[in-house]
């Protein structure tokens, strides 16, 4: 057990690549702002890297008060040992009460390392965070304003609320796309604090020889419209109907896991608990049952249209408009109606 610092800030780990902050960081800035206001403390961000000019001001515009910058050419690319040393040193110095990371591959690597080095608690893959007073069932002691860390558990069949009574700071990784990104306020003021942390060469055991970046062909996160197909589409050939509607409406193509497992389309199109989380303006689900693991990735969409032969399919419980019918008949009708316009 370590002592809580109830005056400590709420921090976001500011993951960036080549001087570009990842979207989940900007999403977390809004959440950190909200949690900090509820706790009556400041919101902070830890920003390690090289050539990161301008990012501090951006973090401030998205709701951060204090940006702790550690700039070093050796920090240009992520290495667990050096980045965890940076975060641990800053935690030790400033004693935040909450530290949030995106549940990206980098965040999933860094956060547990920091948690173990600082002997803090950590909940992975949260989908929501709240502040509440909680009674410890072991001691009956009421803890004021603790962080509730909410995430799917048991294969997505339940939503678990995890509370950390004893291990501080409270840490969580948060799934990308589950928190709405707030609009930036360029007039906000905050402080950039340049930190000087001694980093021994032994903290950089990996020598980067070459970077091969795979071009990103699927941009589900940025899509305003997504047409997604599921197991009910039946085959890779029939999946062309999904591509056709997406093309006609100017949308991206998504899929359920059944469609991916069936080989109808690649895994990078999968939406849901183990795929991408999306919140487009319009989500069209064709031949998708609406299992809880799929809904976890799309139910925050502004408008959902479901097409399914089964009137009792669970997808209809989250759909704004439902069409009970065969997608192989409905989709061509939609495409020709769109082309006529
Ligand atoms: P099916 O269950 O096969 O349902 C097909 C649907 O299509 C049915 O509702 C049927 O009525 C309808 N249908 C059939 N023919 C037609 C037709 N001609 N026209 C219209 N409708 C028709 N799933 C995900 O999607 N994403 C995830 O990220 C994900 N992660 C998971 C993680 C874990 C740990 C586990 C255990 C499961 C996960 N799953 C995920 C799988 C999930 O539980 C479901 O199995 C999956 O979502 C089912 O996909 P589906 O609804 O497309 O297929």
């Amino acid at each position: 057990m370590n002592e809580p610092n109830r005056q400590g800030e709420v921090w976001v780990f500011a993951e960036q690549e080549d001087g570009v902050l990842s979207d989940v960081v900007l999403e977390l800035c809004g959440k950190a702002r909200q949690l900090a206001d509820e706790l009556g403390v400041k919101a902070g961000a830890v920003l390690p890297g090289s050539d990161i000019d301008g990012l501090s001001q951006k973090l401030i515009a998205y709701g951060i008060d204090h940006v702790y910058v550690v700039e070093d050419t050796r920090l240009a690319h992520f290495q667990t040992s050096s980045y965890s040393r940076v975060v641990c040193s800053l935690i030790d110095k400033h004693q935040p009460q909450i530290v949030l990371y995106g549940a990206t591959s980098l965040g999933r690597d860094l956060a547990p390392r920091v948690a173990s080095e600082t002997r803090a608690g950590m909940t992975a893959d949260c989908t929501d965070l709240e502040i509440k007073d909680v009674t410890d069932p072991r001691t009956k002691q009421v803890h004021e304003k603790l962080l509730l860390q909410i995430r799917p558990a048991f294969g997505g069949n339940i939503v678990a609320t995890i509370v950390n009574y004893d291990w501080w700071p409270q840490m969580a990784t948060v799934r990308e796309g589950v928190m709405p990104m707030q609009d930036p306020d360029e007039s906000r003021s905050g402080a950039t604090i340049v930190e000087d942390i001694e980093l021994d060469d032994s903290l950089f055991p990996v020598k980067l020889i070459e970077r091969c970046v795979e071009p990103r062909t699927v941009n589900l996160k940025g899509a305003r419209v997504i047409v997604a197909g599921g197991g009910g589409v039946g085959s890779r050939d029939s999946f062309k109907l999904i591509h056709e509607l997406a093309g006609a409406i100017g949308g991206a193509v998504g899929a359920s896991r059944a469609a991916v497992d069936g080989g109808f389309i690649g895994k990078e199109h999968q939406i849901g608990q183990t795929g991408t989380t999306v919140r487009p303006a319009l989500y069209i689900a064709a031949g998708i049952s609406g299992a809880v693991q799929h809904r976890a990735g799309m139910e925050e969409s502004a408008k959902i249209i479901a097409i399914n032969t089964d009137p009792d399919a669970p997808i209809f419980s989250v759909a704004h408009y439902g069409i009970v019918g065969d997608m192989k008949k409905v989709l061509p009708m939609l495409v020709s109606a769109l082309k006529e316009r």
Side-chain angles (χ1 to χ4, degrees):
M1 190 183 307
N2 35 17
E3 281 305 307
N5 173 17
R6 304 312 302 258
Q7 302 313 311
E9 298 181 348
V10 178
W11 278 9
V12 174
F13 174 76
E15 176 178 343
Q16 55 83 30
E17 196 175 343
D18 296 332
V20 179
L21 290 165
S22 49
D23 282 355
V24 67
V25 170
L26 303 178
E27 292 159 15
L28 286 178
C29 286
K31 192 66 186 180
R33 173 77 271 138
Q34 181 204 329
L35 298 177
D37 287 344
E38 286 176 39
L39 291 164
V41 298
K42 299 282 187 198
V46 178
L47 175 60
S50 174
D51 287 332
I52 43 180
D53 289 353
L55 298 193
S56 175
Q57 200 44 50
K58 186 162 185 182
L59 290 162
I60 291 167
Y62 276 85
I64 298 297
D65 301 306
H66 297 151
V67 183
Y68 302 93
V69 177
V70 183
E71 198 156 10
D72 186 317
T73 49
R74 295 170 301 168
L75 292 170
H77 301 292
F78 173 73
Q79 294 198 34
T80 322
S81 42
S82 51
Y83 269 55
S84 61
R85 174 61 57 85
V86 167
V87 181
C88 291
S89 304
L90 293 176
I91 288 176
D92 194 38
K93 182 172 171 190
H94 298 284
Q95 303 280 311
Q97 57 178 306
I98 294 174
V99 185
L100 307 175
Y101 310 75
T104 57
S105 20
L106 188 157
R108 286 178 170 146
D109 183 340
L110 178 65
R113 174 76 170 254
V114 173
S116 91
E117 284 191 24
T118 54
R119 297 183 58 75
M122 202 212 75
T123 305
D125 252 358
C126 293
T127 51
D128 202 1
L129 301 165
E130 287 173 22
I131 300 288
K132 283 236 166 83
D133 296 347
V134 191
T135 306
D136 184 341
R138 301 165 301 176
T139 59
K140 307 288 176 236
Q141 187 192 341
V142 177
H143 295 261
E144 285 182 10
K145 296 189 172 179
L146 276 191
L147 182 70
L148 304 193
Q149 298 156 74
I150 297 154
R151 55 154 296 163
F154 293 106
N157 289 310
I158 63 162
V159 175
T161 299
I162 296 166
V163 184
N164 165 21
Y165 299 102
D166 303 322
W167 303 97
W168 294 71
Q170 305 165 92
M171 292 203 206
T173 63
V174 178
R175 290 196 60 145
E176 299 170 74
V178 296
M179 314 262 166
M181 195 189 293
Q182 306 299 330
D183 291 334
D185 174 0
E186 307 296 341
S187 64
R188 275 196 88 246
S189 55
T192 301
I193 300 145
V194 178
E195 297 279 353
D196 187 17
I197 296 175
E198 207 168 303
L199 297 168
D200 194 76
D201 276 344
S202 65
L203 293 167
F204 301 90
V206 178
K207 190 172 166 215
L208 185 74
I209 297 165
E210 190 188 359
R211 266 176 94 211
C212 302
V213 182
E214 218 174 87
R216 209 180 252 237
T217 47
V218 186
N219 181 14
L220 288 171
K221 279 198 171 301
R224 280 187 52 75
V225 177
I226 294 175
V227 184
V233 178
S235 67
R236 193 176 180 91
D237 198 40
S238 305
F239 217 84
K240 283 182 192 145
L241 295 171
I242 303 288
H243 290 282
E244 273 174 28
L245 179 57
I249 208 169
V253 173
S256 71
R257 181 155 136 187
V260 171
D261 288 351
F264 310 164
I265 193 159
K267 166 101 175 93
E268 64 279 15
H269 293 266
Q270 185 176 316
I271 289 165
Q273 190 185 315
T274 41
T276 306
T277 303
V278 296
R279 42 169 86 224
L282 175 63
Y283 189 89
I284 302 177
I288 295 180
S289 62
V292 65
Q293 295 90 354
H294 185 78
R295 296 203 312 262
M298 48 65 75
E299 63 192 351
E300 297 293 330
S301 306
K303 281 282 175 285
I304 299 170
I305 301 176
I307 305 157
N308 199 302
T309 43
D310 176 6
D312 297 323
I315 192 75
F316 288 125
S317 67
V318 292
H320 301 89
Y321 303 98
I323 301 172
V324 178
D326 183 347
M327 50 82 50
K328 288 175 191 145
K329 292 184 183 151
V330 176
L331 261 51
M333 285 195 274
L334 286 174
V335 171
S336 67
L338 282 162
K339 282 185 179 163
E340 274 168 26
R341 283 172 20 147

